[in-house]
């Protein structure tokens, strides 16, 4: 009779598994980078919408960097920007990308994982 050999099982709590429905920490520092193209209507709308979202939902905890690709086109390569406006959440990890003018606030909040903590 052959003996079955298995690897030892590691005990894991739900917290160590990174449960999907876990709420993000409330005191995290947020770093956002918004790529735009000059003063176009969509670029201006994206800047205004991002500032409104940050002021409303992350007051005092959000840093916004606006990158104008008309002035600095080489910056698009580093973050692999293929469309503008594009928002990249650098912190907290994982990195998230949102393309568009950020006018669909509910979808933006869900993408940034803010909807569950603010609802």
């Amino acid at each position: 009779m052959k003996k079955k050999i298995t690897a030892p099982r590691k005990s894991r709590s739900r917290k160590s598994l990174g449960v999907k429905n876990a709420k993000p920490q409330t005191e995290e520092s947020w770093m956002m980078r918004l790529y735009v193209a000059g003063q176009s209507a969509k670029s201006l709308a994206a800047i205004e919408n991002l500032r409104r979202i940050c002021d409303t939902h992350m007051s005092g905890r959000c840093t916004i960097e606006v990158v104008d690709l008309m002035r600095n086109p080489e910056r698009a390569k580093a973050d692999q920007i293929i469309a503008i406006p594009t928002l990249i959440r650098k912190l907290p990890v994982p990195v998230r990308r949102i393309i568009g003018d950020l006018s669909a606030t509910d979808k933006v909040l869900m993408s940034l994982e803010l909807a569950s903590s603010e609802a």
Side-chain angles (χ1 to χ4, degrees):
M1 180 153 90
K2 291 184 178 179
K3 190 173 184 180
K4 188 176 179 181
I5 300 174
T6 59
R9 296 183 75 189
K10 295 180 183 178
S11 65
R12 296 182 185 175
S13 68
R14 294 191 91 195
K15 287 182 180 179
S16 68
L17 290 174
V19 179
K20 268 189 173 181
N21 295 332
K23 292 183 180 179
Q25 296 176 358
T26 57
E27 295 303 317
E28 287 179 312
S29 178
W30 292 70
M31 184 178 150
M32 309 283 197
R33 184 174 294 154
L34 180 63
Y35 287 91
V36 297
Q39 299 292 311
S40 70
K42 283 193 175 193
S43 295
L44 295 175
I47 293 167
E48 179 61 32
N49 289 332
L50 179 58
R51 287 196 172 129
R52 180 180 40 79
I53 290 168
C54 287
D55 289 345
T56 304
H57 300 278
M58 299 171 275
S59 184
R61 299 181 286 136
C62 186
T63 302
I64 300 171
E65 177 186 4
V66 177
V67 178
D68 185 347
L69 294 178
M70 298 295 278
R71 294 178 185 221
N72 301 304
E74 69 281 355
R75 300 274 312 263
K77 192 172 185 177
D79 280 323
Q80 301 174 347
I81 302 302
I82 57 170
I84 46 177
T86 296
L87 173 66
I88 298 182
R89 180 187 79 183
K90 293 292 202 177
L91 292 174
V93 291
V95 172
R96 298 267 186 221
R97 294 172 174 265
I98 303 171
I99 298 172
D101 67 3
L102 310 175
S103 59
T105 304
D106 291 339
K107 289 181 180 179
V108 172
L109 293 175
M110 191 180 332
S111 296
L112 295 175
E113 298 176 334
L114 283 171
S116 61
S117 64
E118 298 295 325

